[in-house]
């Protein structure tokens, strides 16, 4: 196991009715800006619960944050903060709203060009406004980590950043808020954390037994409960387990002291920047092809994955690796997510644009060994066609 530092300051309020506890988490003089997306939080009544919990406080609202949140939209919220002397931000939504709020929290306190926050991957952030989240779409784990991804269509860029100043102060996780999610979002909310876990687990052995065992349990939970969530979207225990699994997939625990990959994410980001495909769906496209391409460097962990996650024990090493990769693709398809670029109208010309974008965004040494160059990404994408 490698040396590591681990610190996660986010407080979690989990369970039914926890939105009612929101008010007591805030300072008496907090002037709150509520940020949300395209209207689902209003239609489902979650925003009404938030307003009721905060009755008597000064509240300002900013809606319209997009899936794959946009840079220009976030800057409008930054402007509103300055105009209204806001002191606290509250994200009500899924990963996109929370990611946007992290960027807004940092940009509101940054004296330079906010674009530098993204091009520096967050290194220039020295402070951020305090913020919290009410999670309505579990998937990204953004409710308990310090990272975010922002899209700038004008620049053809989708860039990640992280900063220790960008952890939520607290996050409220009520599984009942997820009952009305459409099947598409339920599927995305299973596949996204699945790949988050794989990116931290399926690299090379580091004798991190707790992290490996934890990761394998989370993966098996998603495999078992993901399809059931599509069939029974209002089963509280299913929704609760999936919500907590998505949070644990990317809150730092399973990634502590282990090598990490993230090549699937970086390539997937460029697909989203190209045509707006849902983030989770880009991961489902890239991961099986990447695992097949990188089966040599990942051989030992692929065999462990086959045995401990998929219960595949028979046949030669290569047979078991093939079976594990095939099972991964079949699971994504079972969740209703297509896994080929052709399903998303991405052909040879678009592959070249993705490869060029990776080069332009300095994504040239991807993977746990830093060995996946844009030319390798081209090969992987062609295999995913």
């Amino acid at each position: 196991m490698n040396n590591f530092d681990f610190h996660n300051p986010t407080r979690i309020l989990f369970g039914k009715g926890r939105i009612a506890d929101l008010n007591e988490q805030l300072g008496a003089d907090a002037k709150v800006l509520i940020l949300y997306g395209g209207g689902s939080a209003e239609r489902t009544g979650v925003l009404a619960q938030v307003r009721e919990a905060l009755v008597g406080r000064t509240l300002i609202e900013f809606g319209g944050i997009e899936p794959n949140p946009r840079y220009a939209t976030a800057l409008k919220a930054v402007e509103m903060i300055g105009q209204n002397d806001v002191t606290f931000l509250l994200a009500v939504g899924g990963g996109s709203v929370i990611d946007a709020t992290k960027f807004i929290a940092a940009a509101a306190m940054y004296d330079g060009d906010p674009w530098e926050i993204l091009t520096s991957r967050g290194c220039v952030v020295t402070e951020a406004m305090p913020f919290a989240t009410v999670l309505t779409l579990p998937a990204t784990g953004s409710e308990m980590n310090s990272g975010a991804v922002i899209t700038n269509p004008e620049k053809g860029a989708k860039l990640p950043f992280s900063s220790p100043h960008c952890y939520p102060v607290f996050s409220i996780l009520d599984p009942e808020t997820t009952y009305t999610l459409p099947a598409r979002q339920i599927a995305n909310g299973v596949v996204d954390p699945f790949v988050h876990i794989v990116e931290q687990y399926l690299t090379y052995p580091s004798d991190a037994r707790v992290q490996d065992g934890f990761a394998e349990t989370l993966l098996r939970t998603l495999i078992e409960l993901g399809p059931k969530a599509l069939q029974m979207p209002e089963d509280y225990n299913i929704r609760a387990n999936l919500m907590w699994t998505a949070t644990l997939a990317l809150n730092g625990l399973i990634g502590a002291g282990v090598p990490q990959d993230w090549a699937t994410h970086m390539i997937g980001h460029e697909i989203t920047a190209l045509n707006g495909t849902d983030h989770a769906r880009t991961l489902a496209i890239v991961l099986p092809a990447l695992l097949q391409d990188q089966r040599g460097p990942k051989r030992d962990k692929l065999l462990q994955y086959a045995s401990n996650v998929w219960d595949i024990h028979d046949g030669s090493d290569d047979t078991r690796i093939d079976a594990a990769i095939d099972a991964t693709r079949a699971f994504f398809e079972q969740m209703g997510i297509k896994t080929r670029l052709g399903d998303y109208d991405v052909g040879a010309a678009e592959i070249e644009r993705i490869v060029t974008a990776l080069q332009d965004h300095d994504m040239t040494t991807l993977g746990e060994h830093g060995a996946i160059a844009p030319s390798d990404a081209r090969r992987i994408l062609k295999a995913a066609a």
Side-chain angles (χ1 to χ4, degrees):
M1 191 188 309
N2 300 325
N3 292 358
F4 66 87
D5 290 353
F6 177 75
H7 174 69
N8 191 315
T10 301
R11 181 178 183 180
I12 298 295
L13 287 73
F14 190 98
K16 299 178 183 180
R18 297 310 303 272
I19 295 175
D21 299 330
L22 177 57
N23 190 57
E24 64 192 56
Q25 304 301 316
L26 301 175
D29 298 327
K31 191 171 184 180
V32 180
L33 175 62
I34 301 173
L35 302 111
Y36 56 94
S40 63
E42 188 78 80
R43 291 191 301 273
T44 60
V46 175
L47 272 176
Q49 291 184 59
V50 169
R51 295 184 189 115
E52 182 178 357
L54 298 178
V55 67
R57 287 185 178 270
T58 299
L59 302 177
I60 302 161
E61 298 187 10
F62 182 90
I65 295 173
E66 310 88 353
N68 304 307
R70 297 193 175 193
Y71 178 74
T73 303
L75 292 186
K76 292 177 183 177
V78 173
E79 184 177 356
M80 182 177 284
I81 290 168
Q83 293 171 343
N84 293 277
D85 298 321
V86 170
T87 63
F88 196 92
L89 308 180
L90 181 64
V92 180
S96 292
V97 174
I98 300 171
D99 278 15
T101 300
K102 289 177 180 177
F103 176 76
I104 292 162
M109 304 297 288
Y110 186 62
D111 290 333
D113 180 355
W115 186 243
E116 295 170 355
I117 295 172
L118 300 175
T119 56
S120 74
R121 304 293 189 261
C123 292
V124 298
V125 177
T126 58
E127 58 181 334
M129 289 186 65
F131 69 96
T133 87
V134 176
L135 182 65
T136 63
L137 201 171
T140 68
S142 194
E143 65 277 4
M144 200 180 179
N145 65 44
S146 61
V149 183
I150 301 295
T151 298
N152 188 334
E154 289 73 26
K155 293 181 179 289
K158 181 175 180 179
L159 299 179
F161 84 96
S162 65
S163 167
H165 302 284
C166 290
Y167 281 98
V169 176
F170 65 90
S171 289
I172 294 176
L173 281 61
D174 180 347
E176 291 187 330
T177 66
T178 70
Y179 284 176
T180 58
L181 290 175
R184 182 185 188 94
Q185 296 295 354
I186 292 173
N188 287 350
V190 170
V191 170
D192 195 357
F194 188 97
V195 182
H196 285 163
I197 298 162
V198 166
E199 296 269 43
Q200 299 165 88
Y201 162 77
L202 224 170
T203 55
Y204 56 85
S206 58
D207 201 19
R209 302 186 187 194
V210 171
Q211 293 91 317
D212 277 3
F214 197 176
E216 289 161 359
T217 296
L218 295 175
L219 289 170
R220 290 194 301 268
T221 299
L222 292 171
I223 292 165
E224 178 188 355
L225 297 184
K228 292 180 180 178
L230 292 174
Q231 300 164 4
M232 299 176 286
E234 296 190 14
D235 184 299
Y236 180 82
N237 287 324
I238 291 174
R239 302 305 310 174
N241 277 285
L242 289 177
M243 180 175 256
W244 190 224
T245 297
T247 299
L248 293 172
L250 200 57
N251 74 343
L253 278 175
I254 65 170
V258 301
Q260 300 183 27
D261 185 345
W262 301 109
T264 294
H265 270 72
M266 297 306 104
I267 298 170
H269 286 168
E270 301 298 352
I271 300 174
T272 297
L274 175 73
N275 64 9
T277 298
D278 297 1
H279 172 61
R281 288 160 197 264
T282 70
L283 304 180
I285 295 165
V286 176
L287 181 65
L290 183 141
L291 294 180
Q292 193 65 255
D293 187 86
Q294 296 292 304
R295 62 187 292 144
K298 294 181 181 290
R299 187 178 187 84
D300 290 340
K301 288 303 285 282
L302 276 167
L303 289 168
Q304 182 178 330
Y305 174 65
S307 174
N308 294 357
V309 175
W310 291 108
D311 199 27
I312 297 169
H313 305 285
D314 296 332
S316 67
D317 287 359
D318 284 336
T319 297
R320 283 179 281 147
I321 289 172
D322 285 337
I325 296 171
D326 289 346
T328 304
R329 185 186 298 279
F331 173 60
F332 297 161
E333 297 275 353
Q334 183 185 9
M335 293 302 301
I337 294 183
K338 298 295 184 182
T339 60
R340 295 290 183 181
L341 284 172
D343 297 316
Y344 302 88
D345 298 321
V346 175
E350 288 78 17
I351 287 174
E352 291 307 312
R353 289 171 61 185
I354 293 166
V355 171
T356 298
L358 288 168
Q359 186 76 46
D360 292 345
H361 297 147
D362 199 29
M363 299 293 177
T364 57
T365 55
L366 301 177
E368 62 267 33
H369 298 289
I372 299 177
S375 58
D376 301 302
R378 177 188 290 111
R379 185 178 64 247
I380 291 166
L381 288 165
K382 286 181 176 180

